[in-house]
């Protein structure tokens, strides 16, 4: 029987890992998605969708499906599932690795202002109306209801339902990666004065920051949540190395 790997996904890295592992063919891989995206991209390995029911549910899943290794390749801001994975893996005695993209770091010409959370971002926007690009997910967007004076441009993969509660919203749907040219056009067309985003890392959503730099626009950067204390790597190749080593140690 081939060893079973559970891959927690929802990111480009998880899809790349699934492709590489599928090509290797020496593991049974299950990719797990939260089910937030209406039409997720096709994946080269079996996919399960939806929550496990907290850390206990994930622990039970690991035991029931005889998982030999757990790879948490979720988004750096998906804090709950990563904390659950740490707890469940420890209790089930399953080796766990977290693959997290390195955060972006500001460069010369960037005007990034760190904010702890959405409430702090609303405060930092100030009282005077501004034209704001919210490059955030639907969970965060609702929090801007406390700052209704601004005009918001909101981009999401799927339409946001229920619609954002602010009175002045332009909502667009698009799936990255986005080019610098596309982002520059978007910022200019909507006369954006400030961007609010997460420090997601990676390349797919980085171009907006280059466009902001070129225009001298401020960026309110939501800070990353503290990660759980588990082994971590920052790229797919290192994750594959860890996996080979972990499975060898377990004699599988
Ligand atoms: P979260 O707050 O950490 O997780 C909320 C709950 O969703 C978890 O407790 C878990 O439910 C379920 N869940 C999350 N990821 C899952 C997965 N890969 N497979 C099965 N269940 C999962 O997560 P989130 O921030 O809502 O993100 C949800 C998904 O979107 C993640 O897979 C993440 O990689 C992806 N994503 C997130 C962001 C972001 O900015 N947060 C951006 C891009 C992609 P149970 O407790 O019931 O198990």
């Amino acid at each position: 029987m081939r060893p079973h790997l559970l891959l927690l996904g929802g990111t480009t890295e998880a899809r790349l890992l699934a492709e590489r592992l599928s090509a290797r063919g020496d593991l049974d891989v299950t990719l797990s998605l939260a089910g937030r995206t209406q039409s997720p991209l096709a994946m080269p390995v079996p996919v399960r969708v939806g929550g496990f029911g907290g850390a206990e549910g994930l622990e039970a899943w690991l035991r029931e499906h005889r998982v030999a290794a757990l790879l948490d390749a979720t988004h750096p801001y998906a804090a709950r599932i990563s904390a659950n994975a740490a707890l469940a893996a420890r209790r089930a005695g399953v080796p766990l690795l977290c693959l997290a993209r390195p955060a972006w770091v500001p460069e010369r010409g960037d005007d990034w202002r760190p904010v702890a959370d959405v409430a702090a971002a609303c405060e930092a926007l100030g009282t005077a109306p501004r034209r704001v690009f919210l490059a955030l997910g639907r969970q965060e967007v609702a929090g801007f209801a406390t700052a209704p004076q601004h005009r918001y441009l909101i981009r999401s993969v799927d339409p946001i339902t229920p619609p954002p509660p602010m009175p002045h919203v332009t909502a667009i749907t698009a799936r990255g990666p986005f080019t610098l040219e596309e982002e520059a056009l978007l910022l200019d067309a909507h006369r954006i004065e400030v961007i609010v985003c997460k420090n997601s890392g990676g390349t797919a959503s980085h171009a907006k920051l280059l466009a902001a730099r070129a225009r001298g626009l401020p960026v309110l950067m939501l800070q990353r949540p503290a990660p759980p204390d588990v082994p971590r790597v920052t790229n797919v190749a290192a994750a594959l190395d860890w996996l080979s080593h972990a499975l060898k140690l377990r004699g599988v």
Side-chain angles (χ1 to χ4, degrees), residues 4-8 28-32 48 52 58 61-62 67-73 96:
H4 186 188
L5 170 78
L6 177 61
L7 174 57
L8 302 175
D28 280 334
V29 180
T30 303
L31 173 62
S32 178
R48 68 160 298 286
F52 295 92
L58 179 52
W61 204 99
L62 295 175
V67 171
L70 175 59
L71 232 159
D72 173 10
L96 164 68

Side-chain angles (χ1 to χ4, degrees), residues 8-11 32-34 36 48 50-54 73-75 77-82 84 139-140 198:
L8 302 175
T11 58
S32 178
L33 301 176
R36 302 269 193 274
R48 68 160 298 286
F52 295 92
T74 57
H75 192 270
Y77 285 73
R80 194 154 3 129
I81 187 71
S82 292
N84 290 349
Q139 284 146 293
E140 294 85 16
K198 296 177 183 175

Side-chain angles (χ1 to χ4, degrees), residues 67-158:
V67 171
L70 175 59
L71 232 159
D72 173 10
T74 57
H75 192 270
Y77 285 73
R80 194 154 3 129
I81 187 71
S82 292
N84 290 349
L87 195 56
R90 195 170 66 239
R91 286 184 180 155
V94 171
L96 164 68
L97 179 74
C98 179
L99 165 58
R101 306 167 197 160
W104 297 312
V105 287
E107 291 180 23
R108 197 186 165 94
D110 285 327
D111 178 8
W112 297 4
R113 305 172 191 184
V115 285
D117 51 26
V118 166
C122 289
E123 187 150 345
L125 285 174
T127 50
R130 300 172 87 184
R131 304 182 72 90
V132 186
F133 177 24
L134 294 185
L136 296 172
R138 76 183 85 167
Q139 284 146 293
E140 294 85 16
V141 158
F144 287 83
T146 59
Q149 69 275 31
H150 307 298
R151 295 196 167 272
Y152 294 100
L153 169 66
I154 300 173
R155 179 172 65 195
S156 53
V157 174
D158 296 312

Side-chain angles (χ1 to χ4, degrees), residues 5-25:
L5 170 78
L6 177 61
L7 174 57
L8 302 175
T11 58
T12 307
E13 288 75 10
R15 185 168 46 78
L16 292 175
L17 264 171
E19 281 168 8
R20 297 283 298 273
L21 291 167
S22 162
R24 253 169 57 158

